[in-house]
């Protein structure tokens, strides 16, 4: 059965490749950054097994490594210098030659992820047995990324090593922001475990009339946008708002449909993602890569979409969740 372990191993191997490449370029701090991040991906099971057997120093060492990552990220910009003029011109010429075919590999990622995830859940029994159902979505994403990489090599005619070097260059351009999705996704679980949702429920009960369905719905939608904007990711805001408002007030008190509330509520949170620099990997990194003069240019362009989508989502929640 295919599990997440091979996906983690591939990610760790790529990060180790990036670390070696940066070390060869004498970018020692950046090399150390990616090497530290690669270790738990390559040796995570061994670290966990050691902790269960009473040997805690590997886990403690990784804790020190996490602190080191934070320190290195705070010390300065880890991005690579811009391309030389000749290389940039060659890339533009290649992009003109390939045209819209360049978008094919990127579009394959969500498509293959959806197909594999659905097949792992609802396909024939022999097919379902090939993929761990509890981790099917992440495994499907890993498979889709490998497929997209292979197709990208075919479309561009590049070699595998060339593709890895381009991925390394993009990773260095992203820098510490590449860690934001996984860090912010875990932040919501930490907040939920520490009782932040209960605190929010108490505050909401003091501010709004909890017997009013529309008041609770507006508080949930606004809270998803606000918390997402603060924490930079709807995955971090969702468990907190569901624990504080969604489940106790909308589902249990007012009878909202949990599946509808969860799906549209998550989409509502992404209205906040469109509006915050905390979602650096979405809103700040593209500014850097495109060398835009206004660091908030992406956020300004997304503002009308965010407001319009928020209003539509509130209407959908009111019409479909109850």
């Amino acid at each position: 059965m295919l599990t997440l372990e091979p996906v983690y191993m591939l990610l760790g191997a790529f990060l180790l490749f990036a670390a070696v490449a940066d070390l060869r370029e004498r970018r020692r701090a950046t090399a150390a950054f990616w090497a530290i991040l690669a270790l738990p991906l390559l040796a995570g099971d061994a670290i966990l097994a050691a902790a269960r057997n009473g040997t805690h120093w590997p886990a403690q060492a990784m804790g020190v490594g996490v602190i080191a990552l934070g320190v290195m990220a705070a010390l300065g910009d880890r991005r690579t210098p811009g391309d030389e003029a000749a290389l940039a011109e060659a890339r533009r010429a290649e992009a003109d030659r390939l045209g819209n075919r360049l978008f094919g590999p990127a579009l394959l990622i969500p498509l293959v992820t959806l197909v594999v995830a659905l097949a792992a859940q609802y396909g024939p029994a022999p097919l379902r047995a090939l993929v761990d159902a509890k981790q099917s979505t992440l495994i499907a994403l890993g498979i889709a990324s490998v497929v997209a990489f292979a197709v990208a090599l075919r479309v561009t005619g590049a070699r595998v090593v060339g593709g890895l070097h381009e991925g390394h260059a993009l990773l260095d351009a992203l820098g510490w922001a590449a860690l934001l999705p996984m860090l912010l996704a875990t932040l919501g679980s930490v907040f939920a475990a520490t009782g932040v949702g209960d605190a929010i429920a108490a505050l909401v009960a003091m501010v709004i009339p909890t017997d009013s369905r529309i008041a609770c719905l507006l508080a949930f939608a606004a809270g998803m946008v606000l918390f997402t904007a603060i924490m930079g990711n709807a995955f971090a805001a969702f468990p907190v708002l569901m624990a504080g408002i969604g489940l106790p007030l909308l589902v249990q008190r007012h009878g909202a449909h949990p599946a509808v509330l969860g799906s549209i509520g998550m989409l509502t949170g992404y209205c906040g993602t469109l509006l915050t620099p905390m979602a650096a990997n979405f809103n700040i990194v593209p500014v850097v890569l495109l060398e835009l003069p206004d660091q908030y240019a992406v956020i300004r362009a997304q503002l009308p979409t965010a407001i319009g989508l928020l209003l539509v989502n509130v209407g959908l929640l009111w019409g479909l969740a109850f």
Side-chain angles (χ1 to χ4, degrees), residues 5-17 34-47:
E5 185 176 359
V7 178
Y8 288 145
M9 295 295 288
L10 280 175
L11 287 173
F14 173 65
L15 289 172
L16 199 58
F17 173 87
W34 300 128
I36 292 172
L37 186 59
L39 284 176
L41 293 170
L42 294 172
D45 287 344
I47 294 171

Side-chain angles (χ1 to χ4, degrees), residues 23-321:
L23 190 60
R24 288 178 176 176
E25 297 171 5
R26 298 184 179 181
R27 304 179 68 244
R28 296 180 180 84
T30 306
F33 190 87
W34 300 128
I36 292 172
L37 186 59
L39 284 176
L41 293 170
L42 294 172
D45 287 344
I47 294 171
L48 181 60
R52 287 174 175 172
N53 292 329
T55 305
H56 299 290
W57 69 262
Q60 293 170 347
M62 285 314 309
V64 174
V66 171
I67 295 173
L69 289 177
V71 172
M72 286 189 286
L75 286 178
D77 195 348
R78 318 228 72 80
R79 290 180 287 113
T80 55
D83 292 334
E84 297 178 359
L87 180 57
E89 183 61 31
R91 285 182 171 176
R92 281 194 293 270
E94 185 69 2
D96 292 337
R97 181 183 71 84
L98 294 171
N100 290 334
R101 285 182 292 167
L102 285 172
F103 294 100
L107 294 175
L108 273 177
I109 294 178
L111 177 61
V112 175
T113 299
L114 180 63
V115 170
V116 174
L118 290 177
Q121 292 286 341
Y122 306 107
L127 187 60
R128 296 199 305 269
L130 294 177
V131 178
D132 185 356
K134 295 180 180 179
Q135 303 170 329
S136 59
T137 303
L138 292 177
I139 294 172
L141 178 59
I143 294 173
S145 299
V146 173
V147 171
F149 180 69
V151 172
L153 294 179
R154 181 65 181 270
V155 169
T156 61
R159 298 169 58 189
V160 173
V161 174
L164 292 176
H165 278 295
E166 288 298 324
H168 157 239
L170 180 59
L171 186 65
D172 277 354
L174 292 174
W176 61 266
L179 305 185
L180 278 178
M182 70 174 93
L183 294 177
L184 292 172
T186 61
L187 184 60
S189 299
V190 173
F191 279 2
T194 54
V196 176
D198 295 335
I200 291 177
L203 289 174
V204 169
M206 295 171 57
V207 175
I208 69 170
T210 56
D211 289 334
S212 170
R213 176 183 296 178
I214 186 62
C216 293
L217 179 62
L218 292 176
F220 175 75
M224 280 296 300
V225 174
L226 179 61
F227 267 73
T228 299
I230 292 173
M231 296 188 284
N233 194 297
F235 285 104
F238 183 74
V240 177
L241 268 297
M242 281 299 290
I245 302 176
L247 290 177
L249 298 181
L250 290 173
V251 174
Q252 296 175 0
R253 176 172 293 192
H254 295 291
H257 193 291
V260 175
L261 183 67
S263 58
I264 302 179
M266 177 68 82
L267 183 60
T268 303
Y270 284 115
C271 298
T273 302
L274 298 175
L275 300 174
T276 176
M278 286 297 293
N281 50 324
F282 292 106
N283 300 332
I284 301 301
V285 169
V287 172
V288 175
L289 294 178
L290 296 174
E291 299 180 356
L292 301 178
D294 181 4
Q295 64 176 331
Y296 300 116
V298 172
I299 294 176
R300 296 183 199 280
Q302 293 171 165
L303 178 61
T305 300
I307 295 175
L309 183 59
L310 174 60
L311 296 176
V312 170
N313 283 346
V314 171
L316 289 174
L317 284 171
W318 180 256
L320 300 177

